[in-house]
Amino acid sequence: MDLTARRFWRTTHICVFAFASLTACQKEVTEHATTVMLPTVTSQTLILTPSYQRIQTYTGTIRAGNTTGVGFELAGKLNELQADSGIKVKQGQILAVLDTRLLEAERQEIQASLAQTQADVNLATSTLKRNQQLKKSGYVSEQLLDENHGQLSSLAAVKNRLLASQYANQLKLDKSILMAPFDGTISQRLHNLGEVITAGSPIFTLVGNINSEAYIGIPVALADQFYAGQQVQVSVQDQIFTANIAGISAEVNPVSRTLQLRISLPKDVRVINGEIAYLHQQQQVAQAGYWVPISALTDGIRGLWNLYVIKNQEQQSVIERRDVEILYTTQDMAYIQGAIEPKETYVTQGLHKLIVGQVISPNPNAPSPL
């Protein structure tokens, strides 16, 4: 076969192969064009409920069962300070001492007066005994004996007065030593060593270590839902525990317009005076609506939200947008009402991939929201 013939057959084979390849590609393109792939979305059915439960939180503060300003009942100069802020103290522990030199001098003066009065009492007693003996012999009149008895009674009264003064002086000496009235922690020291303080002026602020309580205000309209002895849920920082209502205030706070609950906390809780406490109360709200996942909602207009509902049109599933209002939310669920009806099917997630009027393929096998 000559060169011209070989070229002719080679060209013919290439053309046939190219024609066959083009025919196969055209068939594949035609098959893909005739197959419509609809997006699949997860869906659920709207279930109408007559009411819902919500957790309402109220705020208050922690107060120690005993918090007081500790000071002297007497005026005087601070001679010793044996405690300071941040120190834990025990009941009866000495905290401070006043200068007692004037009281010591008064005590010595009273003791001297008592000694003198006792000597006068002894003398008057001896005189009375001698006069009583002389009276038997007729040497002493009745008037003199009466005078002896009167003198002895007067001296006894003076002695009793001096004994009372001695007791009062000892009380002053005892009260010049300031002791902790209960176990606790000193949160603040208000005076310095050497200061002259007035009677009743607090030297320390002492916070008790036990019997911590939470004082929490509640609306007046909810007062009938609480009673003394009721168990409630209280949280402080990351601690959540069950506590008992110890008492309910009988008057409304003029500032917050709330009633105050006094809640006794468990003895083993570790809280600090002044911390924020929260009362968590479950309430039943009689309002019809629907529970849906938060992922099923998207932003709407004028403060509303949108829910994508699946409607059947001409044997196709089409996306419709409905305006809804959120009544209550939890961490991942929302309770809503709006332009929706029971048993309608809605899209639960993936809303950013959908548009209104789009034809989709629903997947009804998604788990129920409740």
Side-chain angles (χ1 to χ4, degrees):
M1 183 180 295
D2 58 7
L3 180 60
T4 301
R6 287 198 299 271
R7 289 179 178 175
F8 172 77
W9 286 109
R10 184 182 302 163
T11 302
T12 301
H13 290 160
I14 293 174
C15 289
V16 171
F17 177 76
F19 178 76
S21 299
L22 288 174
T23 302
C25 290
Q26 183 66 27
K27 182 179 179 181
E28 183 179 354
V29 171
T30 302
E31 290 177 355
H32 280 289
T34 57
T35 303
V36 180
M37 299 296 294
L38 299 178
T40 301
V41 298
T42 57
S43 62
Q44 291 176 350
T45 301
L46 289 171
I47 301 175
L48 180 64
T49 56
S51 62
Y52 68 95
Q53 289 186 339
R54 68 179 181 183
I55 301 297
Q56 191 69 31
T57 301
Y58 305 101
T59 307
T61 56
I62 296 295
R63 300 183 194 174
N66 288 320
T67 301
T68 183
V70 183
F72 292 98
E73 298 181 31
L74 308 174
K77 184 174 72 172
L78 276 176
N79 196 41
E80 294 182 28
L81 284 173
Q82 300 186 12
D84 208 334
S85 58
I87 301 299
K88 294 184 181 297
V89 297
K90 296 291 185 180
Q91 182 178 6
Q93 180 177 337
I94 296 177
L95 305 180
V97 179
L98 290 177
D99 186 354
T100 59
R101 287 178 293 177
L102 289 176
L103 293 176
E104 291 289 348
E106 181 183 348
R107 181 174 65 86
Q108 293 177 5
E109 181 181 357
I110 293 173
Q111 288 178 344
S113 297
L114 273 173
Q116 180 182 356
T117 302
Q118 184 62 46
D120 292 340
V121 168
N122 294 338
L123 177 60
T125 302
S126 300
T127 301
L128 177 61
K129 289 181 178 179
R130 287 195 299 270
N131 288 337
Q132 287 175 339
Q133 292 295 327
L134 293 174
K135 175 67 173 58
K136 295 177 180 180
S137 303
Y139 294 106
V140 175
S141 65
E142 290 288 341
Q143 181 179 359
L144 183 59
L145 288 178
D146 291 341
E147 290 177 356
N148 291 150
H149 282 293
Q151 183 181 12
L152 192 59
S153 298
S154 177
L155 289 173
V158 171
K159 181 178 179 180
N160 290 334
R161 178 176 59 81
L162 289 174
L163 289 174
S165 297
Q166 187 182 45
Y167 177 71
N169 175 262
Q170 186 59 48
L171 281 179
K172 291 180 181 179
L173 286 170
D174 294 340
K175 291 180 180 295
S176 296
I177 300 175
L178 183 62
M179 297 183 181
F182 50 82
D183 295 351
T185 303
I186 296 177
S187 64
Q188 192 176 9
R189 176 169 62 85
L190 304 174
H191 288 279
N192 297 318
L193 190 66
E195 287 188 34
V196 176
I197 60 173
T198 59
S201 177
I203 309 300
F204 304 99
T205 300
L206 182 61
V207 178
N209 293 333
I210 59 174
N211 301 328
S212 296
E213 296 176 327
Y215 287 78
I216 298 177
I218 61 170
V220 178
L222 301 180
D224 57 350
Q225 298 184 13
F226 299 92
Y227 55 89
Q230 178 183 358
Q231 289 189 336
V232 291
Q233 295 294 317
V234 178
S235 65
V236 179
Q237 292 189 356
D238 297 331
Q239 304 178 81
I240 300 177
F241 38 78
T242 301
N244 295 321
I245 297 179
I248 303 176
S249 175
E251 60 182 1
V252 177
N253 187 295
V255 177
S256 63
R257 309 307 302 172
T258 60
L259 283 177
Q260 194 172 69
L261 300 180
R262 182 170 58 88
I263 302 174
S264 296
L265 304 181
K267 294 183 179 180
D268 57 346
V269 299
R270 300 181 62 85
V271 293
I272 301 175
N273 197 40
E275 278 191 292
I276 301 297
Y278 301 94
L279 169 64
H280 307 280
Q281 180 71 6
Q282 191 174 61
Q283 299 176 347
Q284 189 78 17
V285 182
Q287 190 169 17
Y290 307 85
W291 282 106
V292 299
I294 292 180
S295 59
L297 300 174
T298 184
D299 293 337
I301 59 174
R302 295 187 296 274
L304 297 176
W305 294 80
N306 292 149
L307 184 73
Y308 282 179
V309 176
I310 303 173
K311 299 298 289 186
N312 293 324
Q313 297 180 3
E314 299 178 355
Q315 298 182 349
Q316 291 181 329
S317 298
V318 181
I319 295 294
E320 289 187 4
R321 180 173 56 207
R322 304 288 180 83
D323 290 334
V324 297
E325 178 186 2
I326 296 179
L327 302 178
Y328 180 69
T329 61
T330 62
Q331 185 174 359
D332 53 1
M333 299 295 296
Y335 191 76
I336 64 172
Q337 62 177 199
I340 49 180
E341 297 180 357
K343 298 184 179 180
E344 283 190 308
T345 303
Y346 66 98
V347 181
T348 60
Q349 57 186 353
L351 306 185
H352 62 285
K353 300 179 181 179
L354 305 175
I355 60 174
V356 177
Q358 182 177 357
V359 180
I360 52 90
S361 175
N363 175 20
N365 296 324
S368 172
L370 292 178

